[in-house]
């Protein structure tokens, strides 16, 4: 029998052209799909025989990103070598190219004075400071400056935009250290549970809100918590003052606004305020009145489908997601959320209600304490995780109740909490009720994100969960794609599973070591600590090298 080293399967590097490869959002493959309702921009993953079995290279000259908060305003050109946006959005203060880096002044199409000033304007209309608003979603986010500047107000935003003509929007956001995913409102639900977000936002996001019987606003309603806000700026808001600059007729803009207002009323939303370029609506705290007025509003009728949280390749429906039943008008459907930061450790209403089988108040409290202990142990094993500011973008591949992320809340990091579609219990609603963010994912497929998104990946029992579902090497190659050079992972699993995983990590040339469980060597579950090595595409020629390092 050959020694273990000889049995390691080595995975070559992919061609340089794949340095920004997003398998399920491939521009060429997307052209085969329907353009109606932007179906072609949705997730379309490669067939088995098209899946790459190679390691995605970083571009030549790639550097470790700036540390937060400097990264909010500066990104290395070599890491995202695209100047397209600096030309196309030159007048809107989105992004500038300076020497060997991009600078992000915080501007946007509808906030030329900067995102901070724009958020201040919103803060004069609704309370952004009392902890009642903690989670937000930004649809069609540009380079995610809105989400970036909300972070200083303790508001955590999931920003998304399609992989489209505005090259590298989401990639810029992630390089800046801001939570973001590739995504689009098209024909399927967004990958979030119902009642997830305190606030949704669209600033000239080019989504036809009033069309298709209000289908896209109906989806925003599904993911907004009771009493949550929808904030809208850009055409047609304030059309009376702005129509000339928008190159559209007043009649056309007025009709569009009337359509949106009509859909919002049919969802029982209340328009709180419209001031200058910003309009804000609020979702009701329960559906007592809304059910009664279905006689007035013939559509949307209330959905009959049993699971409003089902959101992985689930078709959008033109029906209103009913809120949980309440006894009286003043009650908040599904239970009142605590304000941030109390919300993080308060028992989430979804657990109090008993809606998650086998998850009790005691389960939640024990899990929270367990992860505080485990994070301390992790930091003793991985000096980079322990070094404050070394990491920024973290991924938890199997987050359960969000205990890993909650234990890191005082570190300058954010965590994308994934609840696998195959998990025994869907706990993503609990993660959001804690004031954390996350998404659904099937780990037999690629994530909707760019290569080199995450500085650190945590994988608790992932390989056991996917045993017999897909190949270990496919999951490892996806981890390799989305992890930054010199980033690290901690994998928890059964020792036999980890020995197999370690073999594959050797094949992708990661440094790894197996260590005992924090409770000692007699526990079958072990920890695999690994670091991805630094390597990049070769420089093709001197001219290209100069282009990637303009100041050298």
């Amino acid at each position: 029998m050959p020694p273990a080293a000889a049995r390691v399967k080595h995975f070559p590097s992919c061609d340089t052209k794949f340095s920004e490869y997003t398998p399920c959002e491939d521009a060429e493959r997307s052209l085969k799909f329907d353009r109606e309702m932007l179906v072609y921009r949705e997730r379309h993953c490669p067939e088995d025989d098209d899946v790459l079995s190679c390691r995605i290279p970083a571009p030549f000259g790639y550097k470790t990103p700036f540390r937060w908060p400097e990264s909010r305003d500066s990104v290395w050109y070599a890491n995202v070598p695209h100047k397209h946006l600096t030309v196309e959005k030159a007048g809107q203060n989105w992004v500038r190219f300076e020497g060997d880096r991009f600078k992000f002044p915080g501007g946007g199409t509808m906030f030329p004075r900067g995102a901070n000033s724009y958020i201040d304007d919103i803060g004069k209309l609704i309370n952004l400071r009392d902890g009642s608003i903690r989670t937000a979603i930004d649809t069609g986010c540009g380079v995610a400056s809105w989400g970036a500047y909300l972070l200083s107000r303790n508001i955590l935003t999931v920003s998304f935009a399609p992989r489209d003509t505005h090259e590298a929007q989401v990639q810029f956001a992630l390089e800046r250290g801001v939570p973001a995913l590739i995504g689009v409102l098209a024909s399927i639900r967004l990958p979030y549970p119902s009642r997830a977000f305190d606030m949704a936002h669209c600033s000239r996001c080019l989504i036809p809100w009033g069309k298709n019987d209000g289908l896209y606003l109906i989806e925003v309603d599904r993911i907004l918590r009771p009493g949550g806000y929808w904030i809208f700026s850009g055409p047609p808001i304030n059309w009376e003052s702005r129509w000339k600059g928008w190159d559209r007729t007043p009649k056309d803009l007025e009709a569009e606004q009337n359509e949106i207002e009509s859909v919002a009323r049919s969802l029982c939303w209340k328009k709180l305020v419209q001031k200058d370029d910003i309009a804000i609506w609020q979702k009701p705290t329960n559906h007592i009145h809304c059910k009664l007025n279905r006689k007035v509003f013939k559509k949307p009728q209330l959905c009959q489908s049993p699971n409003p949280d089902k959101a992985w390749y689930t078709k959008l429906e033109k029906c209103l997601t009913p809120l949980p039943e309440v006894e009286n008008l003043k009650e908040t459907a599904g239970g009142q959320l605590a304000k941030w930061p109390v919300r993080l450790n308060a028992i989430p209403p979804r657990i109090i209600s008993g809606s998650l089988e086998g998850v009790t108040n005691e389960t939640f409290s024990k899990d929270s304490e367990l992860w505080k202990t485990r994070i301390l142990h992790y930091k003793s094993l991985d000096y980079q995780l322990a070094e404050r500011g070394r990491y920024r973008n973290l991924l938890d591949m199997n987050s359960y109740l969000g205990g890993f992320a909650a234990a890191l809340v005082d570190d300058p990091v954010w965590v994308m909490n994934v609840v696998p579609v195959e998990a025994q219990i869907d706990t993503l609603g609990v993660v959001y009720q804690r004031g954390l963010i996350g998404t659904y994912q099937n780990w037999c497929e690629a994530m909707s994100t760019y290569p080199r998104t995450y500085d650190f990946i945590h994988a608790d029992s992932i390989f056991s969960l996917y045993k017999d579902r897909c190949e270990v090497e496919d999951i490892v190659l996806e981890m390799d794609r989305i992890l930054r050079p010199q980033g690290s992972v901690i994998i928890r699993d059964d020792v036999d599973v980890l020995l197999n995983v370690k073999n594959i990590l050797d094949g992708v040339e990661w440094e790894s070591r197996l260590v005992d469980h924090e409770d000692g060597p007699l526990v079958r579950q072990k920890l695999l600590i690994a670091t991805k090595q630094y390597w990049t595409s070769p420089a093709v020629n001197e001219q290209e090298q100069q282009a990637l390092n303009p100041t050298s």
Side-chain angles (χ1 to χ4, degrees), residues 102-371:
F102 292 108
K103 290 281 197 177
F104 295 86
T109 310
M110 289 309 300
F111 35 96
R113 290 182 297 125
N116 237 351
S117 175
Y118 173 75
I119 292 166
D120 285 342
D121 290 342
I122 294 170
K124 291 168 190 165
L125 307 175
I126 56 172
N127 195 332
L128 298 177
R129 296 193 176 275
D130 70 349
S132 60
I133 296 173
R134 163 64 180 172
T135 56
I137 185 164
D138 192 11
T139 56
C141 63
V143 293
S145 288
W146 189 72
Y149 282 86
L150 277 171
L151 286 164
S152 61
R153 293 161 168 84
N154 268 327
I155 296 172
L156 196 52
T157 305
V158 176
S159 299
F160 75 87
R163 180 161 189 164
D164 63 358
T165 51
H166 291 164
E167 204 166 21
Q169 288 181 102
V170 167
Q171 196 176 11
F172 274 132
L174 293 163
E175 278 293 314
R176 297 174 74 186
V178 179
L181 286 163
I182 300 169
V184 65
L185 255 174
S187 73
I188 57 175
R189 283 179 173 178
L190 296 171
Y192 315 109
S194 64
R195 298 182 279 131
F197 296 97
D198 300 319
M199 174 168 67
H201 174 256
C202 161
S203 174
R204 202 164 191 172
C205 61
L206 307 179
I207 294 169
W209 297 114
K211 304 297 181 192
N212 303 312
D213 296 323
L215 186 65
Y216 299 136
L217 271 185
I218 288 170
E219 174 63 355
V220 170
D221 179 84
R222 181 184 73 83
I223 61 174
L224 267 185
R225 68 152 166 86
Y229 301 95
W230 184 54
I231 299 167
F232 184 34
S233 65
I237 303 301
N238 199 16
W239 60 266
E240 299 91 338
S241 304
R242 285 189 170 269
W243 66 273
K244 287 180 181 173
W246 288 336
D247 202 25
R248 286 173 62 186
T249 67
K251 186 178 178 183
D252 174 36
L253 288 160
E254 185 178 23
E256 185 184 343
Q257 175 138 0
N258 288 340
E259 267 184 340
I260 291 168
E261 304 268 8
S262 174
V263 172
R265 279 194 301 274
S266 77
L267 300 174
C268 308
W269 292 5
K270 178 185 177 185
K271 189 172 187 184
L272 291 182
V273 63
Q274 181 174 320
K275 188 171 190 308
D276 300 327
D277 295 331
I278 298 169
I280 303 179
W281 284 261
Q282 187 172 24
K283 178 176 172 171
T285 52
N286 60 61
H287 271 168
I288 290 179
H289 275 162
C290 207
K291 286 179 176 176
L292 294 173
N293 72 19
R294 286 310 89 185
K295 296 181 180 71
V296 177
F297 295 103
K298 302 299 181 195
K299 56 187 182 183
Q301 288 301 311
L302 291 161
C303 296
Q304 302 301 314
S305 48
N307 187 358
D309 295 342
K310 193 179 176 194
W312 187 251
Y313 296 120
T314 305
K315 286 286 180 191
L316 291 176
E317 294 182 90
K318 293 179 182 178
C319 59
L320 181 59
T321 301
L323 288 171
E325 299 286 340
V326 293
E327 298 288 323
N328 64 67
L329 267 174
K330 292 189 175 176
E331 204 177 333
T332 299
Q336 182 69 43
L337 291 175
K339 292 182 177 180
W340 183 264
V342 175
R343 190 186 295 190
L344 181 70
N345 293 307
I347 309 287
R350 285 181 185 244
I351 293 177
I352 294 170
S353 70
S355 64
L356 296 180
E357 194 180 335
V359 183
T360 63
N361 296 10
E362 188 183 13
T363 312
F364 176 80
S365 299
K366 281 186 172 175
D367 187 74
S368 293
E369 290 308 309
L370 176 67
W371 280 106

Side-chain angles (χ1 to χ4, degrees), residues 477-548:
L477 281 168
E478 175 61 3
M479 293 168 79
D480 183 75
R481 184 183 78 86
I482 62 180
L483 186 67
R484 294 191 187 282
Q486 297 176 307
S488 59
V489 302
I490 294 181
I491 305 168
R492 304 180 72 89
D493 224 312
D494 181 85
V495 62
D496 291 342
V497 172
L498 289 185
L499 287 170
N500 184 24
V501 174
K502 187 176 189 322
N503 212 25
I504 294 165
L505 291 185
D506 291 344
V508 293
E509 299 181 16
W510 289 16
E511 276 184 7
S512 65
R513 69 187 199 277
L514 202 60
V515 301
D516 285 328
H517 188 277
E518 58 268 14
D519 291 340
L522 300 181
V523 183
R524 274 199 66 84
Q525 193 182 66
K526 306 289 181 192
L527 304 178
L528 185 56
I529 319 287
T531 303
K532 178 177 173 178
Q533 299 307 291
Y534 178 89
W535 65 281
T536 70
S537 300
V540 177
N541 56 48
E542 218 172 285
Q543 193 175 0
E544 185 170 327
Q545 190 169 340
Q546 185 61 32
L548 288 162

